[in-house]
Amino acid sequence: MKFSIGGSLKLAFRPWVEGLENIPAQGPAILASNHLSFSDSFFLPAVLDRKVTFIAKSEYFTGPGVKGRLTAAFFKGVGQVPVDRSGARGAGEAAIKAGIEVIESGGLFGIYPEGTRSPDGRLYRGKPGGLARVALATGAPVIPVAMIDTEKIQPPGQLMPKLMRPGIRIGKPLDFSRYHGMEGDRFILRSVTDEVMYEIMKLSGQEYVDIYATTAKRQIADEAKRRAEEEKHEGGKPGTQG
């Protein structure tokens, strides 16, 4: 299924790619990417000859009925594995365990250090959890990846995707073997994560924001709520109607 989906995506969207030579022909590696769109987990594997395993919320694999079974088959077919994300700590540990298993089996593990999609196209601070801990526990190289323009293909609220060419830039592998076994040191985790995010920033050309994307989403939602309340209040004032 991976090849049929990948072939269809390449035929329809013709994604351009730079740095394919940085992906090892065999052996384990971590692909650390920015995250602009739901489609990132499909476009990146589509341009590679090797399978990339991402993690996905377990709800995608447990839906009821025919639709649920088709959805589960689709996500399994594109190389995603389920992780129960109920409870922040449990979700993080499950993701780390899944990543280590992929690496120990000699595979490519895909991860988004920002932890969630960017709300506005900018690059946000990486979370010092899954990426760094998997890298330090396994000694696998980390390959920075930049997705380009994928958020423009299907913006929020748009039903049909726009046929346009997204891009993918793949950087040179980063070696953190000097920190092997130090995944319990939070300063090392922060340093490793920041180094990877800096490389992603250089590849993507995105503006960097030194806060977490989850915080930015909350701020945007709070601001939208505040404006809505202000407009409601202004609309209810005498003399503002008609």
Side-chain angles (χ1 to χ4, degrees):
M1 183 181 288
K2 185 267 185 191
F3 293 103
S4 62
I5 293 173
S8 298
L9 284 175
K10 286 196 288 186
L11 182 64
F13 293 94
R14 299 182 299 114
W16 57 264
V17 58
E18 298 174 357
L20 272 177
E21 68 277 5
N22 294 318
I23 301 293
Q26 58 185 1
I30 301 167
L31 305 185
S33 174
N34 60 340
H35 199 11
L36 297 173
S37 167
F38 175 78
S39 64
D40 293 336
S41 299
F42 307 135
F43 279 113
L44 179 56
V47 301
L48 303 181
D49 292 332
R50 296 183 60 187
K51 175 183 176 181
V52 183
T53 299
F54 288 88
I55 56 173
K57 58 184 180 180
S58 59
E59 289 90 336
Y60 289 143
F61 298 82
T62 57
V66 175
K67 181 180 179 181
R69 290 194 295 272
L70 289 174
T71 300
F74 173 80
F75 278 93
K76 289 176 182 176
V78 296
Q80 302 208 20
V81 295
V83 168
D84 184 356
R85 303 200 301 185
S86 58
R89 183 170 180 81
E93 293 300 324
I96 292 166
K97 180 181 178 182
I100 291 174
E101 289 176 352
V102 172
I103 294 300
E104 289 181 343
S105 68
L108 298 178
F109 178 58
I111 189 169
Y112 303 111
E114 291 169 279
T116 187
R117 280 174 278 173
S118 170
D120 55 14
R122 297 186 293 177
L123 184 69
Y124 285 85
R125 194 180 197 204
K127 293 190 172 183
L131 164 65
R133 286 182 60 186
V134 173
L136 300 191
T138 63
V142 178
I143 301 174
V145 176
M147 307 301 295
I148 311 292
D149 290 336
T150 53
E151 81 283 9
K152 298 177 182 178
I153 291 175
Q154 193 171 13
Q158 181 173 311
L159 183 61
M160 295 298 294
K162 179 181 179 181
L163 286 178
M164 59 174 291
R165 295 189 71 188
I168 302 169
R169 290 195 182 100
I170 303 169
K172 295 184 180 300
L174 303 174
D175 180 10
F176 295 108
S177 59
R178 62 192 182 278
Y179 300 130
H180 183 62
M182 300 177 68
E183 60 269 23
D185 188 321
R186 63 188 180 92
F187 296 106
I188 295 295
L189 296 180
R190 181 76 266 162
S191 177
V192 168
T193 305
D194 288 346
E195 183 174 340
V196 175
M197 297 309 296
Y198 179 71
E199 294 300 321
I200 293 174
M201 180 187 70
K202 289 197 300 182
L203 289 169
S204 69
Q206 291 170 278
E207 176 186 350
Y208 179 76
V209 186
D210 197 26
I211 62 173
Y212 293 123
T214 49
T215 301
K217 286 183 175 181
R218 186 166 59 249
Q219 291 175 348
I220 292 171
D222 289 345
E223 177 63 16
K225 182 179 179 182
R226 183 189 65 80
R227 289 182 179 179
E229 290 176 348
E230 284 184 353
E231 291 175 0
K232 182 178 179 181
H233 178 70
E234 290 295 325
K237 286 184 178 181
T240 60
Q241 300 287 339

